[in-house]
Amino acid sequence: MKYVTGKTHVHGHTLDVVITRENSSILSDIPSIQDPHLCDNKGKPSGDHLAISSQINIAKPPKQRKTVTFRKYRDIVVKDLITDLNNSAVLCNPEGSSDELVKVYNSEVQIIIDKHAPLQTKDILLRPNTQWYTDELHSAKRERRKAERQMRKTNLEVHKQIYRDKSVQSNILLLKCKNEYFSNKILEIGNDQKQLHKLTNNLMGNKAETVLPSHQDEHALSNRFGEFFVGKIDTIRNNLSNSNKTSTEVDNALEADIKSNKGSGYFIALKCYFTGLIIKIRIEI
């Protein structure tokens, strides 16, 4: 069914239509033709088409939410952590095979980290980045909505002109706020190409996602990573063996450490974290 019968163009033509199936109930009322008061990118009134307004029986999509997990590492009390580390089986009973030590290290570190920084979950509402939205822009848009309500209430030409002027002002201010915000961001970044690329991706709506190789077992994937870096070490050692014979002992020690830990990628990550944390503790002491 065709619902629009009046002119939708400034020259008197009907160029815009609303068509639905005969038995469709998507429209809740008859569409009306209105002046949209459009403006170009410079804030000047433009547009030669009128707007078609109607109520549609479509529910508003729900806001996107995301469940995140985190640990509050900054809330860790260093003295209590040192006490638990000193009393752990890793330091009290450092005997056994490499596999047994890895197993004890994983279990003890997991218990300690769960005690001092337990895993927490919460639902967050995903919101667009609107740091460029200023109080001045908020006031301008509020005045524009006020003028729009007045125009719709009286339908007088003077109120239509006031609404056009408010729309122009708010659109110019909107562009100004965005330009100033992102210009300052670029100046702060300077010559950091990585941050500039990140900012560009955010403006383009490109979301960075960490993609792991296809796998069915996380432990098998961690072993693949371990073998990859062991191979890297072998390659570097072979290339340097002719020029630097003293590097052999260091390479062997590093390779042995990685091979002993490659059974658990999670163990390696926790070891790196707590190594840095212990260094920080020693500096504070």
Side-chain angles (χ1 to χ4, degrees), residues 107-158:
S107 60
E108 289 295 319
V109 169
Q110 186 66 55
I111 293 173
I112 293 174
I113 196 174
D114 287 339
K115 176 182 177 181
H116 293 275
L119 191 65
Q120 302 181 29
T121 60
K122 70 175 182 179
D123 293 335
I124 60 174
L125 184 64
L126 299 180
R127 301 180 183 274
N129 182 12
T130 55
Q131 297 180 3
W132 46 264
Y133 195 88
T134 62
D135 294 337
E136 183 182 5
L137 179 60
H138 178 72
S139 299
K141 295 184 70 174
R142 183 174 56 190
E143 292 296 326
R144 186 187 65 183
R145 290 193 296 268
K146 181 179 179 181
E148 182 182 5
R149 289 193 297 268
Q150 185 70 18
M151 177 197 67
R152 294 182 182 278
K153 181 179 179 180
T154 62
N155 203 25
L156 296 177
E157 190 63 31
V158 60

Side-chain angles (χ1 to χ4, degrees), residues 219-239:
H219 292 284
L221 180 63
S222 64
N223 288 338
R224 288 169 56 188
F225 279 114
E227 293 171 357
F228 172 79
F229 287 107
V230 168
K232 283 286 187 181
I233 294 173
D234 290 337
T235 302
I236 295 174
R237 182 179 61 185
N238 294 332
N239 293 335

Side-chain angles (χ1 to χ4, degrees), residues 25-29 54-59:
S25 60
I26 190 173
L27 293 179
S28 60
D29 61 356
S54 178
Q55 297 290 332
I56 302 178
N57 295 322
I58 297 178

Side-chain angles (χ1 to χ4, degrees), residues 230 233-234 237 246-261 271:
V230 168
I233 294 173
D234 290 337
R237 182 179 61 185
T246 59
S247 64
T248 304
E249 296 181 359
V250 177
D251 291 338
N252 289 336
L254 181 58
E255 179 181 354
D257 183 61
I258 292 179
K259 285 183 176 179
S260 66
N261 299 336
K271 181 178 179 181

Side-chain angles (χ1 to χ4, degrees), residues 6-47:
K7 63 178 182 179
T8 61
H9 193 264
V10 293
H11 292 161
H13 306 295
T14 303
L15 302 181
D16 306 282
V17 296
V18 176
I19 300 176
T20 66
R21 298 181 184 273
E22 187 175 359
N23 56 352
S24 175
S25 60
I26 190 173
L27 293 179
S28 60
D29 61 356
I30 302 299
S32 60
I33 302 174
Q34 301 176 0
D35 187 351
H37 306 288
L38 298 178
C39 300
D40 58 15
N41 57 1
K42 296 183 179 180
K44 297 180 180 180
S46 64

Side-chain angles (χ1 to χ4, degrees), residues 2 14-15 21 30 123 163 174 190 193-194 197 236 281:
K2 181 179 177 182
T14 303
L15 302 181
R21 298 181 184 273
I30 302 299
D123 293 335
Y163 173 65
L174 174 64
Q193 296 297 323
K194 182 178 180 181
H197 183 68
I236 295 174
I281 293 171

